[in-house]
């Protein structure tokens, strides 16, 4: 890019009284004189003032919302109250026009549904550019946290040959001719003929491979896309989402919970310090939205108050059994207000239960651990009671489950028994069980759903609005 960014211009006064050149898109153009130009580098626009009398009138007519412009002129202190500096334009060039009759992103309020249909243009709005800048900052903070704390970044595979991770339905990867699939002698699809010579899928999690690296490099993490072919059309589920998965050797469930809390606080603190304008904008947007709601349904805390609350208060840590006791005796359960009534130990917690615990009972993030073995994955460490495993979930206000993790089963005999019980062919997981044969040790890790974190950090309520181009059932446009 030629010239400097608008962010650079407005964040110091070193350019004042000097000539600057910027490129950007027109946010608005009024009185044939004032262009609000934005280049996406920050929320703020720069005001560019045109000398109407000395400008080619035909060129002026081409300036409309959405057009790409390059502008040169002197940066001066502004006389307007809305901005401290502005550019007195001496030269401008229209790089790309945007026909005002058909340009979809007009300077007015658009619904999120409409913007989802125009996902290729929606980051031209303040809301979406703010969300995506925060998303970018959070990614940076995540890498920074792990780097500062001695973790190595491992690129676990996207295409996986193991269909036994047990985290959800998978998308098949194949180059077989679907109109003429080869079959073996028993009439089944012959995957030996397929590209990899075996069945392959898109990964649902990098955990199993990360475990292999933790068992040699100590502290590792993955941060990559994961894919789930579940037909979950909710505001919290995507078919393609990004997951952060640390995995640490010689660390038990207690260390795992502490790591997750410390990590979440660090990344939230990072954006509070580095995305002030974007958070302010989203906070105002949310406050306006809240005003439309009845008094009793309004959020008690503003966006930044909520983020500050999370970083300054300890997470509440309870066992699954304690959670069940609370839920069994709570008002909505007794009055049968829950869709799924809790009456027995062993029930899986639904999002209505998670939200009750976080939003009504404790009013802070809640960590639940020691879940019943039968509702959790095969690789989780069995407790001495023989019926619970060292699993942990972290629940956040407004989001529900944001983290899922566990101490892993490091005992070969117990793991093999578990694999058999759930009907997976042991041979499929030969390399995973090898890790328990050669130098096995206590180890733990967790998965953080990146988009759920971005939802929490931005106050957005639909997960489709925090990822650039969402993939959901029946939707892979763009
Ligand atoms: O609880 P999950 O399924 O855990 C795992 O995949 C483990 N292998 C992680 C580990 O221990 N390394 O998923 C972890 C997190 C959830 O807590 C949630 O935040 C997010 O991933 N998640 C989804 N986010 C968006 N859309 C979906 N369909 C999601 N499914 C899970």
């Amino acid at each position: 890019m030629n010239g400097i960014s608008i962010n650079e211009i407005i964040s110091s006064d070193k350019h004042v009284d000097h000539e600057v050149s910027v490129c950007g898109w027109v946010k608005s153009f009024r009185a044939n004189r004032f262009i609000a130009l934005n280049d996406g580098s920050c929320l703020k626009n720069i005001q560019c003032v045109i000398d109407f009398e000395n400008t080619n009138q035909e060129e002026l007519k081409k300036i409309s919302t959405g057009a790409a412009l390059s502008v040169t002129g002197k940066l001066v202190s502004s006389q307007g109250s809305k901005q401290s500096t502005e550019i007195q334009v001496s030269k401008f060039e229209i790089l790309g026009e945007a026909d005002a009759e058909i340009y979809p992103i007009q300077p007015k309020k658009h619904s999120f549904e409409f913007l989802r249909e125009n996902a290729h243009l929606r980051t031209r709005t303040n809301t979406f550019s703010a969300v995506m800048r925060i998303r970018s900052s959070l990614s940076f903070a995540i890498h920074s946290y792990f780097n500062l704390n001695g973790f190595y970044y491992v690129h676990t595979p996207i295409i996986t040959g193991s269909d036994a991770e047990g985290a959800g339905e998978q998308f098949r990867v194949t180059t077989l001719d679907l109109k003429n699939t080869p079959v073996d002698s028993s009439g089944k699809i012959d995957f030996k003929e397929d590209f990899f010579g075996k069945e392959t899928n898109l990964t649902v999690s990098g955990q199993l491979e990360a475990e292999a690296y933790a068992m040699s490099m100590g502290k590792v993490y993955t941060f990559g896309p994961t894919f789930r072919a579940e037909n979950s059309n909710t505001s919290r589920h995507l078919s393609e989402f990004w997951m952060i998965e640390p995995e640490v050797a010689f660390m038990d469930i207690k260390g795992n919970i502490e790591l997750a809390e410390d990590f979440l606080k660090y990344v939230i603190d990072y954006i509070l310090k580095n995305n002030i304008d974007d958070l302010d904008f989203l906070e105002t947007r949310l406050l306006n939205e809240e005003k439309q709601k009845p008094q009793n349904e309004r959020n008690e805390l503003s966006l930044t108050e909520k983020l500050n609350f999370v970083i300054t208060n300890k997470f509440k840590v309870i066992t699954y059994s304690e959670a069940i006791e609370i839920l069994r005796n709570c008002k909505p359960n007794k009055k049968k207000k829950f869709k799924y009534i809790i009456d027995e130990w062993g029930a899986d917690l639904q999002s209505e239960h998670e939200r009750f615990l976080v939003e009504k009972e404790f009013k802070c993030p809640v960590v639940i651990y020691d879940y019943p073995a039968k509702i959790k994955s095969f690789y989780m460490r069995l407790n001495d009671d023989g019926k619970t495993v060292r699993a942990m979930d972290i629940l956040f206000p407004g989001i529900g489950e944001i983290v899922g993790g566990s101490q892993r089963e490091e005992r070969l005999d117990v793991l093999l028994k578990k694999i058999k019980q759930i009907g997976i062919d042991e041979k499929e997981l030969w390399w995973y069980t090898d890790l328990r044969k050669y130098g096995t040790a206590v180890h733990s890790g967790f998965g953080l759903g990146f988009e759920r974190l971005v939802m929490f950090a931005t106050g957005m309520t639909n997960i489709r609005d925090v990822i650039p181009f969402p993939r959901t059932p029946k939707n892979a446009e763009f």
Side-chain angles (χ1 to χ4, degrees), residues 165 167-168 204-208 226 228 230 232 236-247 376 379-380 393-394 399 401-406 408 445-453 463:
E165 288 170 34
V204 291
S205 155
Q207 177 200 323
L208 303 194
T226 48
R228 303 216 176 158
E230 295 148 13
S232 304
R236 304 184 316 137
H237 288 88
L238 288 165
S239 313
E240 175 182 290
F241 64 99
W242 287 66
M243 188 156 39
I244 298 101
E245 297 180 273
E247 193 68 36
K376 289 288 181 186
Y379 51 71
M380 297 182 174
D393 281 356
I394 302 185
I399 308 290
E401 186 199 319
I402 194 163
V403 163
S406 66
R408 318 306 187 189
F446 62 82
L448 165 69
F450 185 49
E451 283 71 24
R452 295 204 184 161
L453 173 68
I463 199 161

Side-chain angles (χ1 to χ4, degrees), residues 365-435:
V366 177
V367 185
I368 304 181
Y369 69 102
D370 279 356
Y371 278 82
K374 64 175 195 284
I375 58 169
K376 289 288 181 186
S377 303
F378 72 93
Y379 51 71
M380 297 182 174
R381 173 66 152 80
L382 190 66
N383 279 315
D384 293 343
D385 61 12
K387 59 176 194 166
T388 59
V389 284
R390 283 182 202 162
M392 61 137 189
D393 281 356
I394 302 185
L395 318 176
F396 261 33
I399 308 290
E401 186 199 319
I402 194 163
V403 163
S406 66
Q407 184 176 320
R408 318 306 187 189
E409 184 55 77
E410 83 285 11
R411 297 162 299 182
L412 181 64
D413 54 337
V414 184
L415 184 65
L416 287 174
K417 213 164 125 192
K418 209 58 181 295
I419 289 174
K420 201 165 176 191
Q421 257 172 24
I422 59 164
I424 303 176
D425 184 356
E426 191 188 308
K427 284 193 224 104
E428 283 246 5
L429 285 167
W430 67 273
W431 60 272
Y432 187 69
T433 51
D434 256 11
L435 301 170

Side-chain angles (χ1 to χ4, degrees), residues 7 143 284 297 425 460:
N7 193 26
H143 287 298
T284 310
E297 285 174 27
D425 184 356
M460 299 298 276

